[in-house]
Amino acid sequence: MSSMNQIEEEIISDFELFDSWEEKYHYIIELGQKLAPLDEKYKIDEYKIKGCQSSVWLNGEERNGKIYFSADSDSTFVKGEIALLMMVLSGQTPESILDAKLEFIDALGLRQHIAVTRANGLSAMIKQMKTYALAISSASK
Amino acid sequence: MTPFNINKIRSEFPILSEKAHGKPLVYFDNAATSQKPKVVIDALVDYYSSYNANIHRGVHFLSQKASAAFDEVREKVKTFINAKSEREIIFVRGTTEAINLVASTYGRKNIVQGDEILISAMEHHSNIVPWQMLCEEKGAILKVIPMNEKGELLMEQLPALLTDKTKFVSVVHISNSLGTMNPVKEIIRQAHAKGIPVLVDGAQSTAHELIDVQDLDADFFTFSGHKILGPTGVGCLYGKLHLLEAMPPYHGGGEMISSVSFEKTTYNEVPFKFEAGTPNIADVIVLGTAIDYWNQLDRKAAAAWEKELLNYANKLISEIPAVRLIGTAENKASVVSFVIDGVNALDAGMFLDTKGIAVRTGHHCTEPVMQFFKIPGTLRASFMFYNTKEEVEALAENLTKAIALLQPHSVA
Ligand SMILES: Cc1ncc(COP(=O)(O)O)c(C=O)c1O
């Protein structure tokens, strides 16, 4: 597994190919449509992220010291955003997830297109992923 | 009938020739806020460039000029909504503040435990929450006039809802999320027969209807400047003079007093009693310019054009498979709200945004309406007289594309 920085760099250079909001939108929708489905048993309130304008369900599981996320949303675009986050964070160690600065999000030039509530949604997702990392790393100590 | 000169009208609104994401802007979020004609924009610059001053307190040239321009607007608003006296016009920040003002002054003074306040099933949050707060404080009860599946008030239930305990009625004239035009004149007639005062939330109606508060016999009427081609941060509360005079003040401070000592303050007369502090001078003056604009517009022709846009949009959008219109009242203003089977409203709204088309998605500050229809939100296109049929076509075409992209079965 490549390092988080490497993955972030790759995503940034992918986005550099797009020169319009339309192209970025289509790319993110495509990511959302390809996101592996979340097991229905996780689509309950316990896994729901509050603070998102649309519903998001997120689960994180530990395997061999790494955390793997799966998620779903009623919005395909939001699923695409989760997919981006998962590319970087899924399969990493709890420590590196906790340390992640995720500076690539700003580099993608997405924030300007995402209404305040949307940006909050993204922050809520990141916070939830870090909460999983924290819970798993403290459980293993 | 002379055709409505849409090209000339559009040329008066600079923003309408702007681009969004490199595409010609299609602005269909007029129910949220209207765009401004150049005269309005210029008037704001002119005020700050040539006669900015505080009013009613300076002996100097600028203050006199600003005071005169400010005072003139009260007269303009009076005529615009056909109030009896300019003293019945209070400048506020907008509809939200106007309703809060009435709830905290008239409401606090007159509502007691066990009283009932009646609103409707399609109110904007700003005509729900101030009354809920009042009810909580006083132990009063909030009652709701229900609606049917078309988004029309069940008027046959009104007589039974106007009880001996009902002390106030507050209803929206035109719903911002459904477009329904409510029979407020009839509601007022029935309420008055039982001695109950009525507030009409005119935030949406003022841009689409000729307002005559005397003909409606409304006790209070509210509107926001930014929805009627004027600036943000200014709006009006109309109240019948005898009601305003009997109401306690809202905020304390300068302008609203007649004399102050540490022992006792006597209040200024209506409307100044309700306008504490330096008012929003610039925006009030520019609201006057917006009203001038309405006065020179052929409003009958504008309304007819909006009706044409609405009918055309209804036709094109309801022809799209998977679309379900929300709000199909017989009497509707230029709002089309809808949901699409299998497509998230936000995803579709963002798709339209990539094409330069501005619509609103979500609950539109009317969550109870969404709860009634059991949906999280709608896509809403709301029209103004400066919109065109070509824009409506662009909306319909791009909606079809959005659905093709976003509907689950389209995924290979
Ligand atoms: C029906 C209705 N009432 C009240 C409001 C609140 O107006 P404002 O935000 O200008 O105070 C709005 C604006 O969205 C509205 O549409």
Side-chain angles (χ1 to χ4, degrees):
Chain A
M1 168 112 304
S2 22
S3 82
M4 286 204 307
N5 282 349
Q6 251 173 312
I7 304 169
E8 290 193 33
E9 286 306 321
E10 275 163 33
I11 296 174
I12 292 169
S13 58
D14 280 350
F15 267 73
E16 274 163 2
L17 299 174
F18 308 135
D19 42 28
S20 72
W21 160 226
E22 192 170 354
E23 286 169 339
K24 290 180 194 174
Y25 171 89
H26 279 272
Y27 180 71
I28 294 173
I29 289 289
E30 208 179 300
L31 289 179
Q33 288 172 334
K34 285 191 202 142
L35 187 71
L38 178 71
D39 196 321
E40 283 298 319
K41 72 180 180 211
Y42 297 118
K43 287 179 86 170
I44 53 173
D45 275 357
E46 208 182 317
Y47 295 90
K48 203 164 163 173
I49 301 179
K50 296 180 184 74
C52 288
Q53 200 183 320
S54 47
S55 302
V56 174
W57 297 268
L58 179 76
N59 180 44
E61 274 167 6
E62 193 242 40
R63 263 177 278 143
N64 305 324
K66 306 246 170 81
I67 300 180
Y68 295 86
F69 294 104
S70 49
D72 198 4
S73 169
D74 50 3
S75 155
T76 311
F77 189 88
V78 171
K79 270 164 73 171
E81 289 179 317
I82 304 170
L84 276 175
L85 290 176
M86 281 171 47
M87 281 181 197
V88 177
L89 296 178
S90 205
Q92 305 290 349
T93 62
E95 291 70 28
S96 38
I97 293 171
L98 284 169
D99 287 343
K101 304 255 185 325
L102 300 171
E103 278 155 356
F104 79 107
I105 295 171
D106 287 318
L108 300 185
L110 276 181
R111 287 206 198 261
Q112 68 189 97
H113 299 299
I114 300 174
V116 180
T117 44
R118 285 303 193 109
N120 287 348
L122 204 58
S123 322
M125 288 188 262
I126 295 168
K127 198 170 150 212
Q128 191 64 12
M129 288 174 155
K130 292 202 173 205
T131 306
Y132 272 111
L134 188 65
I136 289 168
S137 74
S138 37
S140 63
K141 270 178 196 148
Chain B
M1 203 176 86
T2 49
F4 190 55
N5 192 342
I6 185 70
N7 290 334
K8 177 176 169 290
I9 289 204
R10 285 181 70 80
S11 71
E12 291 163 353
F13 290 77
I15 214 167
L16 298 180
S17 35
E18 284 293 304
K19 297 222 144 97
H21 307 303
K23 317 233 159 61
L25 169 70
V26 174
Y27 187 75
F28 282 157
D29 198 14
N30 294 290
T33 200
S34 67
Q35 295 303 346
K36 323 300 172 199
K38 188 164 187 303
V39 282
V40 163
I41 301 164
D42 288 348
L44 194 59
V45 175
D46 183 43
Y47 167 76
Y48 282 120
S49 320
S50 63
Y51 60 104
N52 169 50
N54 209 329
I55 55 168
H56 303 148
R57 34 185 106 169
V59 292
H60 54 81
F61 174 80
L62 286 186
S63 178
Q64 282 161 12
K65 187 166 175 196
S67 302
F70 181 92
D71 292 342
E72 207 182 85
V73 180
R74 222 184 285 276
E75 180 66 34
K76 280 184 189 171
V77 174
K78 180 208 119 174
T79 312
F80 186 58
I81 63 171
N82 195 31
K84 247 189 218 146
S85 154
E86 61 175 69
R87 294 182 58 212
E88 297 176 315
I89 308 302
I90 296 162
F91 293 122
V92 290
R93 288 197 310 243
T95 300
T96 303
E97 187 177 41
I99 297 172
N100 275 281
L101 190 159
V102 176
S104 351
T105 59
Y106 182 92
R108 277 231 180 97
K109 184 167 177 200
N110 295 292
I111 303 297
V112 298
Q113 190 167 13
D115 282 352
E116 292 170 5
I117 296 170
L118 186 61
I119 60 172
S120 86
M122 60 182 87
E123 299 306 325
H124 189 278
H125 294 165
S126 59
N127 198 25
I128 302 175
V129 183
W131 304 114
Q132 273 173 336
M133 288 162 65
L134 180 67
C135 286
E136 200 158 297
E137 181 183 320
K138 298 287 186 178
I141 300 146
L142 194 65
K143 293 242 170 148
V144 179
I145 312 170
M147 64 179 167
N148 63 21
E149 287 290 330
K150 294 164 102 178
E152 295 166 323
L153 292 182
L154 298 177
M155 287 297 284
E156 63 276 15
Q157 299 202 16
L158 184 61
L161 285 163
L162 293 167
T163 71
D164 292 344
K165 297 229 168 97
T166 312
K167 292 293 150 61
F168 201 83
V169 177
S170 194
V171 284
V172 69
H173 200 174
I174 294 182
S175 155
N176 65 309
S177 50
L178 301 170
T180 312
M181 292 166 129
N182 285 319
V184 288
K185 194 170 171 181
E186 174 59 17
I187 294 174
I188 292 169
R189 194 190 63 76
Q190 292 191 30
H192 283 181
K194 299 192 175 173
I196 307 162
V198 181
L199 181 149
V200 175
D201 171 352
Q204 294 297 331
S205 59
T206 312
H208 303 291
E209 295 258 283
L210 288 169
I211 302 299
D212 184 335
V213 290
Q214 291 189 72
D215 177 58
L216 289 176
D217 203 16
D219 299 281
F220 297 99
F221 184 91
T222 66
F223 69 89
S224 300
H226 70 96
K227 294 196 200 262
I228 62 157
L229 318 179
T232 52
V234 65
C236 292
L237 169 66
Y238 157 85
K240 283 183 181 163
L241 196 58
H242 71 277
L243 292 171
L244 294 178
E245 278 176 336
M247 277 152 57
Y250 183 40
H251 292 146
E255 290 270 353
M256 56 78 70
I257 47 86
S258 107
S259 75
V260 175
S261 72
F262 287 119
E263 289 70 40
K264 179 155 179 64
T265 290
T266 50
Y267 303 126
N268 204 336
E269 56 184 30
V270 171
F272 310 110
K273 181 167 83 175
F274 298 105
E275 295 178 357
T278 298
N280 185 349
I281 304 165
D283 294 318
V284 166
I285 291 175
V286 179
L287 175 63
T289 314
I291 291 175
D292 293 341
Y293 184 91
W294 286 109
N295 291 340
Q296 59 78 47
L297 185 73
D298 180 345
R299 293 202 63 181
K300 263 209 187 123
W305 180 246
E306 286 180 358
K307 186 85 197 156
E308 237 177 284
L309 292 173
L310 175 69
N311 290 342
Y312 194 44
N314 260 332
K315 176 177 174 294
L316 294 189
I317 292 174
S318 58
E319 275 170 2
I320 301 172
V323 164
R324 179 159 61 98
L325 294 178
I326 302 293
T328 49
E330 296 299 324
N331 279 317
K332 258 191 82 165
S334 50
V335 169
V336 182
S337 236
F338 54 95
V339 292
I340 309 167
D341 290 337
V343 176
N344 179 275
L346 289 157
D347 291 345
M350 285 176 113
F351 180 92
L352 295 174
D353 175 53
T354 68
K355 305 290 186 184
I357 302 173
V359 297
R360 181 89 178 263
T361 64
H363 54 60
H364 320 297
C365 293
T366 57
E367 283 190 56
V369 171
M370 302 304 137
Q371 288 153 12
F372 175 83
F373 287 101
K374 300 188 176 61
I375 50 178
T378 70
L379 277 138
R380 180 188 72 184
S382 50
F383 312 115
M384 195 62 119
F385 58 81
Y386 47 64
N387 288 123
T388 67
K389 290 194 171 168
E390 291 73 24
E391 290 178 316
V392 172
E393 285 161 6
L395 171 68
E397 278 161 24
N398 282 298
L399 269 173
T400 307
K401 288 186 193 160
I403 293 168
L405 174 72
L406 295 165
Q407 255 188 353
H409 58 72
S410 72
V411 186

